[in-house]
Amino acid sequence: MQVVPNRTEQLNQIKTTDKWDIVIIGGGATGLGTAVDAASRGYKVLLIEKYDFAKGTSSKSTKLVHGGVRYLANGDIKLVIGALRERGLLFKNAPHVSSVQSFVIPVYSTFSKLKYLIGLKLYDWLAGALRVGNSISLSKKDVVEKLPHIEQKSLHGGVLYYDGQFDDARLAVNLAQTAIEHGATVLNYVEATGFSKNEQGKINGLTIFDRETQESYEVNAKVIVNATGIFVDDILKLDTANHKNLVRPSQGSHIVIDQKFLAGKDALMIPETSDGRVLFGVPWHGKVLLGTTDIPIDQHQIEPRPMEEEIEFILATAKNYLEPAPTRADILSIYAGLRPLAAPTDKDSGSTKEISRDHKLIKSESDLITITGGKWTTYRKMAEDTVNLAIETAKLIEVPCKTKQLPIHGATKDRYHGHWSLYGKDYAAIQQLAQEDPSLREELVAGYDYQAVEVVWSCRNEMICKVEDFLARRSRLLLLDAKASMVAAPKVARIMAKELGKSEEWIVQEIKAYEELAARYLL
């Protein structure tokens, strides 16, 4: 098993490398995918992330790998075909963090049933050889069997279709590990603070600041990629002070409730809510995520919180379809993700349905490359397009893309109990660690299968620096049960302090910081 270099070794690469072929700013889905693509082609790659990997949008999705059924309704066939192809590739390259998920659309008229069945048959057909299942019509009895708590009044039947599900933050850390295994240097908690330019005004390097050691470094680069999601405009302003914003953020809100509200393995999909959006009820890690499609907002931030009216909207919509329906008292965690949609033009309305879902690649006059838009499902293709433009811009030796058949770190079809499958091939090494020190079998909090050994493993192999990194993104406890995660925090802090050589003062500060963060995930 290949062990990921520790943070000090990664930092030494910055100190000893004269010039990088490609430097990537941003450690979310797109940035990490770009690092994997570029490193696997043999280029000298550095990726820096201001916070932790996938701290922003990339850990706060609806956890779906999908072609986009509603994009089909909007007539965006090309986008759907591309996303369905990428969905199939993700299942092949990262089967340990992704799986096929069945969805049931309850229908309340013959016309609705026909409309959705025809649309989803087309959806299946567009996937071609990478199809993951066949959509079928369901009787009322079938729907009730699959969704025991569905509202049965006027229920006409339903449609069953198949799409994908994944663990977004776990895939992100595996992408970071994959990039490193192919020779990239990848660092979280390192911030880009300024660019350097040559006499022609072309960017040839940047200043970076390590937020852990409080040290600054000058880095030389043949080309720089801005893959910072909702923050792309902040980086563009480092390049051009009077830059006009490219991105209009949109916020998708989610609540997490007990599995009993769906009581099955099928997900619920409501294609048209009262305001025309889509609502999903998705089984995930033993809980149910209820979440909407997004609404435009005016400001971006690293820790957004669902708006009160969105929480009420999700609960009110769920009440129309589930019996019994969840109430505020049943909510275990709330979270919101911001998506970087291409900024609307003057003629666009306020709806996010009319703002482009496809990705955009832009090369500034300074040769800074910016990639924005898109979605998790298409991260690999976005990365491929970005690296191709970087090669052309920096006049690098051309090497073809290798990621269509490139297994992601941990890839295996073997399945283990509960959340352990998410570690893939690393599972055996984690169990070996616990066998060598049985005290590491200790559970972090009652009612959940997370163990102390996972914290040790994450310190040594998954680049965690803060308690939040483990509880929010290496495990998913913050999103599954915010209160339980607060109970686990002191134990996690002490294990981390021992592994990372931190002081008692660090433990106290980390527990306080985590409690403040987790409070934002509670009503």
Side-chain angles (χ1 to χ4, degrees), residues 232-233 236 243-248 341-344 362 370 372:
V232 292
D233 289 313
L236 283 161
H243 160 77
K244 186 185 174 191
N245 284 358
L246 281 174
V247 160
R248 172 81 183 274
L341 303 185
I362 298 139
T370 296
T372 187

Side-chain angles (χ1 to χ4, degrees), residues 307-338:
M307 289 172 266
E308 185 60 36
E309 56 265 37
E310 285 289 276
I311 294 167
E312 287 300 324
F313 175 80
I314 293 170
L315 289 172
T317 304
K319 193 174 181 180
N320 293 333
Y321 293 93
L322 295 175
E323 176 58 46
T327 66
R328 292 175 72 89
D330 296 306
I331 295 175
L332 298 168
S333 191
I334 61 173
Y335 72 94
L338 301 185

